[in-house]
Amino acid sequence: MASLDLRRILAGWDYEPNQITVRKVLGDDGSVKIQMRVDLGILQMESTGRPDGTRPHGFESLLAYHEHRLARHQELNGTELGFELSAEECAALRDESIQYYHRYLAEFVLEDFDGVEADTARNLRTLELCRRFAREDADRQSLERHRPYLIMMNTRARAHLALRRGAFKTALARVQAGLKLIHACLVALDQEESFEELTEVRILQSLAEEIAARLPADPLQRLERELQRALNEERYEDAAVLRDRIAAIQSGQTGSVSRKRPG
């Protein structure tokens, strides 16, 4: 009889407190699994679909099932009015979102930013579904405190995906958009005063600074600085040449423009 003792699997993979330690392995079914080392052993998750591998009501997830219910309700009634999520359904959705939370943390460590983006976006949809349709007010509000964190993780993933392809300006724009979303979230929660102190905000601001430092120099800004320096030093002929080069860039010309120097 094969041994069910997990010590053989854990051998050589020590638990590290305050560290998220993960790895990918090939499962017996031939699909990739994600494993996370925890103090009492290992969490194993599917890399696609619902992390525990189940299909509630034949759907990929409970969220997908309830989104299908909502779509059917709208189709039959012509409106969202009357659609509700019970307290039990909201509790099950919260439990499911914890599974995806573990997986997107593991994906972030593994630098699987596509996975992080998908799983955080999916949990944000869960928040929105409960906020709009939960029967009980407590269920409408219970997940909202997690929204800034989810926005932050989703934003980081989307920024890193842009950085991978060298799109520094896109990455920076995504971080700035994420900060605006968190600000709007705090305004809605009447917590705007906590914006600057929020850990999620500080993480994104730090990421924005890192990206800005990697941005290629803007040729127009560089020429404008050179122009100002030339004017300050009363090098008016050089300033005239620089003005023409700036005008060429601003008008979208690709060729160089020169001014004949008086001789």
Side-chain angles (χ1 to χ4, degrees), residues 51-102:
D52 66 0
T54 64
R55 290 182 58 83
H57 306 285
F59 287 81
E60 182 178 292
S61 65
L62 280 175
L63 174 63
Y65 166 66
H66 289 300
E67 287 178 332
H68 173 75
R69 285 184 57 228
L70 173 59
R72 287 288 295 151
H73 180 90
Q74 290 175 301
E75 182 181 339
L76 293 173
N77 300 284
T79 177
E80 296 177 345
L81 293 176
F83 182 81
E84 285 185 334
L85 295 170
S86 68
E88 293 76 15
E89 288 168 336
C90 289
L93 282 167
R94 289 195 295 271
D95 290 343
E96 180 178 79
S97 69
I98 293 172
Q99 292 189 27
Y100 286 88
Y101 163 75
H102 287 303

Side-chain angles (χ1 to χ4, degrees), residues 116-163:
V116 177
E117 180 184 12
D119 283 347
T120 51
R122 180 248 172 241
N123 272 10
L124 282 166
R125 297 203 327 266
T126 298
L127 262 66
E128 198 60 24
L129 194 72
C130 290
R131 185 188 68 81
R132 294 174 61 197
F133 299 110
R135 183 180 302 157
E136 305 295 333
D137 183 64
D139 291 319
R140 288 195 292 273
Q141 301 300 324
S142 63
L143 290 175
E144 284 303 305
R145 68 183 186 277
H146 301 299
R147 191 181 291 270
Y149 181 81
L150 276 164
I151 293 171
M152 181 268 292
M153 290 298 292
N154 182 266
T155 298
R156 291 170 79 186
R158 296 177 70 242
H160 280 293
L161 287 171
L163 289 172

Side-chain angles (χ1 to χ4, degrees), residues 120-248:
T120 51
R122 180 248 172 241
N123 272 10
L124 282 166
R125 297 203 327 266
T126 298
L127 262 66
E128 198 60 24
L129 194 72
C130 290
R131 185 188 68 81
R132 294 174 61 197
F133 299 110
R135 183 180 302 157
E136 305 295 333
D137 183 64
D139 291 319
R140 288 195 292 273
Q141 301 300 324
S142 63
L143 290 175
E144 284 303 305
R145 68 183 186 277
H146 301 299
R147 191 181 291 270
Y149 181 81
L150 276 164
I151 293 171
M152 181 268 292
M153 290 298 292
N154 182 266
T155 298
R156 291 170 79 186
R158 296 177 70 242
H160 280 293
L161 287 171
L163 289 172
R164 274 186 176 168
R165 63 177 192 270
F168 296 100
K169 289 184 179 179
T170 298
L172 184 58
R174 288 178 176 178
V175 174
Q176 292 168 340
L179 286 166
K180 288 180 180 179
L181 284 174
I182 292 176
H183 184 266
C185 171
L186 293 178
V187 170
L189 294 171
D190 197 26
Q191 297 175 8
E192 184 179 6
E193 71 283 351
S194 66
F195 179 77
E196 293 295 337
E197 302 303 318
L198 207 65
T199 300
E200 291 85 349
V201 169
R202 292 182 173 181
I203 289 172
L204 289 185
Q205 287 174 337
S206 177
L207 179 57
E209 291 173 3
E210 292 175 18
I211 295 170
R214 296 172 63 185
L215 277 173
D218 187 319
L220 185 58
Q221 292 181 353
R222 179 176 55 80
L223 288 172
E224 287 173 341
R225 287 195 297 270
E226 290 182 14
L227 171 60
Q228 189 58 54
R229 190 181 304 113
L231 290 172
N232 291 342
E233 297 172 0
E234 299 183 358
R235 293 183 286 107
Y236 300 116
E237 292 180 8
D238 292 340
V241 173
L242 289 165
R243 281 199 188 95
D244 283 346
R245 291 173 65 186
I246 290 170

